[in-house]
Amino acid sequence: MSESSGRRRSVTILDVARAAGVSRAAVSKVIRDAAGVSPAMRARVNAAIEELNYRPSVAARSLRGASYTLGLEVPQLGNRFLTQIVDGAVRALEGSRYQLVIAPADGREGYGAIEALADRRVDGIMVVSPRVDAAWLERLARDVPVVMLGRHDRSAHYDTVVGDDVAGTRQVMEYLLGLGHRRIVHLTEEAALTAPGSGSPHGLRLRAFEEAVHAAGGSARARVVRTGQTEASARATMSGLLARRPWPTAVFASHDQLALGALAALVDHDAGRAVSLVGYDNTDLAAHPAISLTSVDQRGPEMGRLAVEMLLERIAGREEPRHHIVAPSLVVRGSSGPPGATESSARDGS
Amino acid sequence: MSESSGRRRSVTILDVARAAGVSRAAVSKVIRDAAGVSPAMRARVNAAIEELNYRPSVAARSLRGASYTLGLEVPQLGNRFLTQIVDGAVRALEGSRYQLVIAPADGREGYGAIEALADRRVDGIMVVSPRVDAAWLERLARDVPVVMLGRHDRSAHYDTVVGDDVAGTRQVMEYLLGLGHRRIVHLTEEAALTAPGSGSPHGLRLRAFEEAVHAAGGSARARVVRTGQTEASARATMSGLLARRPWPTAVFASHDQLALGALAALVDHDAGRAVSLVGYDNTDLAAHPAISLTSVDQRGPEMGRLAVEMLLERIAGREEPRHHIVAPSLVVRGSSGPPGATESSARDGS
DNA sequence: CTGAAAGCGCTAACAG
DNA sequence: CTGTTAGCGCTTTCAG
């Protein structure tokens, strides 16, 4: 009724209590569905809530107990693999009391976003940024339930959900080597992201690549090529590779974004047929007929779902860490084939 | 020190005050950079904060004043155009006190996510979902600053940021008609999303399309074709179109996702050269050489930036609504050309 | 310049 | 079954 000009004067539990002629506690019980409320009172209170358009303040509530909010920190939303994870997480939360909020890393390394989530007292945090310090995360995890996605850490305080990068890479290499490829390039990111101790997926893929090459004997003339983390830099790097002969017969990119960059370079050089290309993540684009990229499916949605479930378990009281490893699978498409005969006619020039 | 097993016992302002031997108010002043604190005290307090690893609770703080949080509701993160907007918003907030949180719509129409944001008492809300009821939003906007993105509403209580869909469509049609196209198909979503009153961009594009066709005289044998909102359904619809002759000489898709679906069908039917294709949004994929899609650039990042700025203005006290219209521009690529001679050789079969 | 005290909106004992 | 009463962690007058 009193529609004063001042914005933001939200209606409180006290307003409802007065309107319904009951105590605040009674209202609280009604909105929490707590026991000990007579049907009559419940009805009156609900009427008042409806009437006043009352909505409880999560902030105030969380001062006492839970905020029923789960936070997800992500490095960059442009990454299609992340959206798979988010999808899985959202779906896992459907119908529950919990709400997911996503905090995008503000350019830097994700600390800011993670801290923002922690400061807002979310009930649990999922972290995706691969570059956050493990010890720092460990510290955070003592205060709030944490699940780290996409890293092979074995923390005592937080859980992890990660793909089996060794298995995924082996599938790729068995496939390529079995096809007869020997001049294979592994396109990956800068050394900082593949350091052995970091638990980084890219590091594991790199080492599994090297092992596979080694196991194949000296006949495999494979090598590792570094590039940036963007499609553009992968494109440039690949262009450099194609500037000199002999070309590799196959390129295994550490993730689909790099593969897309490499593909761009292949198209530029009209080399689609000569060089097999394999990515990692099986991003939705990979399936597009104009792209048709062979790629490793990491089951991102399932990872998102698992992360949510583990977080809820921790919130429910679990203390022992758990580490989930999700089995990946290779999806073969037109971008790869026997050496010198890639069936990617769909995108080759005539 | 007292490392009890119980999780979640965060250090409070009182702990800091005790450690520094001052009052809570003093600590509050220090962390807020408020005036009236001696350098000596500031130093001691900061030391204690450091020592205890204290972080103020945003929840508690927001009970009194601002939460310094801006909420962004999005329908589906898979949409590349949205990530452009998010990018712009994140960048606009860099270095400010404000943190962006994104609430993904939980399958339904976005009401849940928007309410979740409101319940968390964010200082302002940006809404992207095109299907939320205008009156409902109007109501919400009386309680909290709201900016709606991508709709042509003229609300008295919330701001809008939207592309000039009429201008964008005109550019497309001038381009296509100028090239000599007459059998043009406009591929758009279901009628509910293009209803005249809804202020929907797709509705405006549709009507601008019809106007352009009309203005071109009876010679333009253009028509509108409906499809779903996914790439898959656009692919199926386009396939149906290609099953019968004569083919259209050009297809103008209402957004890039539909265009990608249409492109898939074109590839399937080996029709890349025969049919020109134009999208809308200039999604990053459009520029990929394997796609090379002509598309209208809506300047998503700028829209995100504008939305943030308007929200901050409202938070700062502005009451009069403002409506920003962003000028789009057509980016011509290989997917389009004169009728019967599309220069999209990059993806045609030999 | 500093501290005491009164809330912000809600929940959780505890009495009646 | 219902209401009273302390707080949750922080900010903000307002006296000292």
Side-chain angles (χ1 to χ4, degrees):
Chain A
M1 302 293 126
S2 64
E3 185 67 50
S4 85
S5 80
R7 231 199 291 110
R8 221 69 231 281
R9 236 304 296 159
S10 50
V11 6
T12 82
I13 200 173
L14 183 58
D15 299 322
V16 176
R18 277 204 271 254
V22 300
S23 75
R24 296 175 333 187
V27 178
S28 178
K29 279 175 189 158
V30 170
I31 61 185
R32 283 177 300 132
D33 254 327
V37 193
S38 70
M41 168 173 274
R42 175 180 304 281
R44 267 195 308 163
V45 169
N46 277 326
I49 287 175
E50 196 77 16
E51 158 88 26
L52 298 176
N53 202 257
Y54 166 72
R55 306 226 93 220
S57 156
V58 174
R61 178 176 283 173
S62 70
L63 232 42
R64 271 319 226 161
S67 66
Y68 294 103
T69 310
L70 262 33
L72 173 63
E73 178 270 348
V74 297
Q76 32 159 337
L77 283 152
N79 187 326
R80 311 288 299 174
F81 177 53
L82 293 189
T83 63
Q84 289 184 26
I85 292 175
V86 173
D87 265 11
V90 168
R91 204 130 38 203
L93 247 25
E94 248 164 35
S96 82
R97 302 188 53 174
Y98 287 84
Q99 169 71 30
L100 180 71
V101 304
I102 300 167
D106 31 1
R108 296 164 305 183
E109 283 146 314
Y111 292 107
I114 299 173
E115 282 183 332
L117 253 15
D119 292 348
R120 276 153 189 80
R121 299 299 188 268
V122 296
D123 297 336
I125 300 181
M126 293 173 274
V127 177
V128 177
S129 276
R131 294 161 194 268
V132 299
D133 181 65
W136 185 89
L137 212 54
E138 189 89 29
R139 175 76 187 77
L140 174 73
R142 293 205 320 239
D143 292 334
V144 45
V146 170
V147 175
M148 160 61 99
L149 283 122
R151 229 167 53 178
H152 295 263
D153 302 355
R154 295 317 269 213
S155 161
H157 291 113
Y158 58 85
D159 303 328
T160 58
V161 179
V162 67
D164 190 337
D165 294 292
V166 172
T169 302
R170 279 194 189 138
Q171 288 179 54
V172 170
M173 293 309 285
E174 271 165 27
Y175 167 71
L176 289 178
L177 290 167
L179 242 33
H181 288 279
R182 289 302 176 268
R183 261 195 331 273
I184 307 175
V185 160
H186 179 46
L187 194 62
T188 189
E189 294 197 19
E190 54 183 14
L193 216 73
T194 60
S198 70
S200 142
H202 298 290
L204 287 194
R205 289 172 204 170
L206 171 55
R207 273 175 291 290
F209 168 80
E210 287 171 335
E211 271 168 31
V213 166
H214 184 78
S219 64
R221 300 232 307 288
R223 65 196 179 107
V224 172
V225 173
R226 305 277 182 178
T227 188
Q229 58 180 327
T230 64
E231 186 184 315
S233 69
R235 184 179 188 170
T237 302
M238 188 70 203
S239 264
L241 242 45
L242 293 175
R244 275 182 300 284
R245 302 273 178 170
W247 285 353
T249 63
V251 172
F252 166 37
S254 191
H255 60 253
D256 278 5
Q257 222 178 331
L258 299 184
L260 281 180
L263 172 59
L266 288 176
V267 172
D268 292 342
H269 290 252
D270 208 22
R273 187 166 272 141
V275 183
S276 279
L277 183 61
V278 177
Y280 209 108
D281 284 348
N282 195 26
T283 272
D284 52 359
L285 292 159
H288 194 283
I291 304 284
S292 191
L293 175 69
T294 296
S295 190
V296 177
D297 191 323
Q298 291 214 70
R299 299 203 275 159
E302 175 157 3
M303 293 174 82
R305 182 180 63 74
L306 279 171
V308 162
E309 283 173 7
M310 295 173 91
L311 212 44
L312 292 178
E313 284 173 22
R314 270 202 181 270
I315 291 169
R318 173 164 60 74
E319 298 273 350
E320 328 77 59
R322 286 183 50 186
H323 304 284
H324 257 293
I325 295 186
V326 179
S329 60
L330 180 68
V331 179
V332 175
R333 295 203 183 85
S335 69
S336 60
T342 305
E343 171 253 300
S344 52
S345 56
R347 58 162 201 277
D348 289 347
S350 46
Chain B
M1 310 288 131
S2 62
E3 186 67 49
S4 86
S5 79
R7 231 197 292 111
R8 221 70 230 283
R9 235 304 298 159
S10 50
V11 8
T12 81
I13 201 171
L14 184 58
D15 300 321
V16 176
R18 277 204 271 255
V22 299
S23 75
R24 297 175 336 190
V27 178
S28 177
K29 280 175 188 157
V30 170
I31 61 185
R32 282 177 301 130
D33 255 328
V37 193
S38 68
M41 166 171 276
R42 175 180 304 280
R44 268 195 307 164
V45 169
N46 277 326
I49 287 175
E50 196 77 15
E51 158 89 26
L52 298 176
N53 201 259
Y54 166 72
R55 307 226 93 221
S57 155
V58 174
R61 178 177 283 174
S62 70
L63 232 42
R64 276 313 236 171
S67 65
Y68 294 104
T69 309
L70 263 33
L72 173 62
E73 178 269 349
V74 298
Q76 33 160 336
L77 283 153
N79 187 326
R80 313 285 301 174
F81 177 53
L82 293 189
T83 64
Q84 289 184 27
I85 292 176
V86 173
D87 265 12
V90 169
R91 204 129 40 203
L93 247 25
E94 248 165 35
S96 83
R97 302 188 53 172
Y98 287 84
Q99 170 70 32
L100 180 72
V101 305
I102 302 168
D106 32 0
R108 294 165 304 184
E109 283 146 315
Y111 292 108
I114 298 173
E115 282 182 333
L117 253 15
D119 292 348
R120 277 153 189 80
R121 299 299 189 266
V122 295
D123 297 336
I125 298 180
M126 293 173 275
V127 177
V128 178
S129 275
R131 293 161 195 267
V132 298
D133 181 66
W136 185 89
L137 212 55
E138 189 89 30
R139 174 75 186 77
L140 174 73
R142 293 204 320 238
D143 292 333
V144 45
V146 170
V147 175
M148 161 60 101
L149 282 121
R151 231 169 50 181
H152 295 263
D153 303 353
R154 299 313 270 208
S155 162
H157 291 113
Y158 57 86
D159 302 328
T160 58
V161 179
V162 67
D164 190 336
D165 294 291
V166 171
T169 301
R170 279 193 188 139
Q171 288 178 54
V172 170
M173 293 309 284
E174 272 166 26
Y175 167 70
L176 288 177
L177 291 167
L179 242 32
H181 288 279
R182 289 301 177 269
R183 261 194 330 274
I184 307 175
V185 161
H186 178 45
L187 193 62
T188 188
E189 294 197 20
E190 55 185 11
L193 215 75
T194 59
S198 70
S200 143
H202 298 290
L204 286 194
R205 289 172 203 169
L206 170 56
R207 272 175 291 290
F209 167 80
E210 287 172 334
E211 272 169 30
V213 167
H214 184 78
S219 63
R221 299 232 307 288
R223 65 195 179 107
V224 172
V225 173
R226 305 277 181 178
T227 188
Q229 58 180 328
T230 63
E231 187 184 313
S233 69
R235 184 179 187 168
T237 303
M238 187 71 204
S239 263
L241 242 45
L242 293 175
R244 274 182 299 284
R245 303 273 178 169
W247 286 352
T249 64
V251 172
F252 166 37
S254 192
H255 61 254
D256 278 5
Q257 222 178 330
L258 299 184
L260 281 179
L263 172 59
L266 289 175
V267 172
D268 292 342
H269 290 253
D270 208 23
R273 186 166 270 140
V275 182
S276 279
L277 183 60
V278 177
Y280 211 107
D281 284 348
N282 195 27
T283 272
D284 51 359
L285 293 159
H288 194 283
I291 304 285
S292 192
L293 176 69
T294 296
S295 190
V296 177
D297 191 322
Q298 289 214 71
R299 299 203 274 159
E302 174 156 5
M303 292 174 82
R305 182 179 63 73
L306 279 170
V308 162
E309 283 173 8
M310 294 172 91
L311 211 44
L312 293 178
E313 284 173 21
R314 270 202 181 270
I315 291 169
R318 173 164 59 75
E319 297 273 350
E320 328 77 59
R322 286 183 49 186
H323 304 283
H324 257 293
I325 296 185
V326 179
S329 59
L330 181 67
V331 179
V332 175
R333 295 203 183 84
S335 70
S336 61
T342 305
E343 171 252 301
S344 53
S345 55
R347 59 161 201 277
D348 288 347
S350 46

